[in-house]
Amino acid sequence: PTCEHKGCVPECSSHGLCKDGACMCDPGFRGAACEEMMCPGRPECSGPSRGVCNNATGLCECLEGWGGETCGDIWYGCETECLNYGMCNNGTCACAPGYAGTDCSFVEPRDYGCEGGAEWMEHAPVDTRTCENLYDPLSDAYETEPKCSCPDSRPVWDLKTRQC
């Protein structure tokens, strides 16, 4: 008896199995060898009038006027990139807490309490004498980078007493 085994041409990628001469693709993959990633949305990327699928990444590339993961959202892009975790929302940057401005680049003054007579400095130099464990209410955590410094009248931070 002869054995007939139908192989797949081209061979299936690591995202599919060969069965009766055809690649059976894993979910999320397609193509003759299951080499293309599928994109989200039905139809993919909300159709060709809204976006196209980048089969190498599995991400939608939206056409002008459309946005979101599936290109299904009407999109008014922001003129500049939204910085500091800001999100573009209908052409305007929605800034994260603690930031402001049209591109969220302005750091809003924060009301930190520096301990031991130290004074607040938003951008203290790295070599500044500082108090440690400054509480940041935005992240609900303690910062260790320089934010407070001792005034010139009492320039030395005493680690034992935690005072300037």
Side-chain angles (χ1 to χ4, degrees):
T2 61
C3 294
E4 288 188 26
H5 173 71
K6 292 183 178 180
C8 290
V9 178
E11 289 187 22
C12 300
S13 71
S14 61
H15 303 291
L17 296 174
C18 184
K19 185 172 181 174
D20 296 326
C23 291
M24 306 302 290
C25 299
D26 295 339
F29 291 87
R30 68 170 172 218
C34 304
E35 75 282 8
E36 297 178 359
M37 292 179 74
M38 296 175 71
C39 287
R42 294 292 166 255
E44 278 186 313
C45 303
S46 301
S49 65
R50 295 185 181 185
V52 291
C53 181
N54 180 328
N55 296 120
T57 64
L59 299 174
C60 293
E61 295 175 356
C62 302
L63 300 177
E64 189 173 339
W66 298 99
E69 183 182 15
T70 64
C71 302
D73 300 328
I74 295 175
W75 193 261
Y76 303 99
C78 293
E79 289 183 25
T80 60
E81 179 184 359
C82 300
L83 305 173
N84 298 314
Y85 308 104
M87 299 290 291
C88 184
N89 186 5
N90 290 332
T92 304
C93 289
C95 299
Y99 299 95
T102 58
D103 63 354
C104 305
S105 63
F106 176 74
V107 179
E108 293 180 330
R110 298 182 227 175
D111 186 19
Y112 289 118
C114 294
E115 62 183 322
E119 297 172 346
W120 171 253
M121 290 180 66
E122 180 66 40
H123 300 288
V126 175
D127 62 348
T128 301
R129 296 171 292 275
T130 74
C131 52
E132 295 180 30
N133 299 326
L134 174 66
Y135 181 70
D136 178 356
L138 295 177
S139 65
D140 193 30
Y142 288 89
E143 294 184 6
T144 56
E145 63 185 70
K147 294 288 185 179
C148 296
S149 72
C150 292
D152 290 337
S153 61
R154 295 173 297 180
V156 178
W157 177 255
D158 185 329
L159 288 172
K160 190 174 183 181
T161 65
R162 300 192 64 75
Q163 299 282 323
C164 288

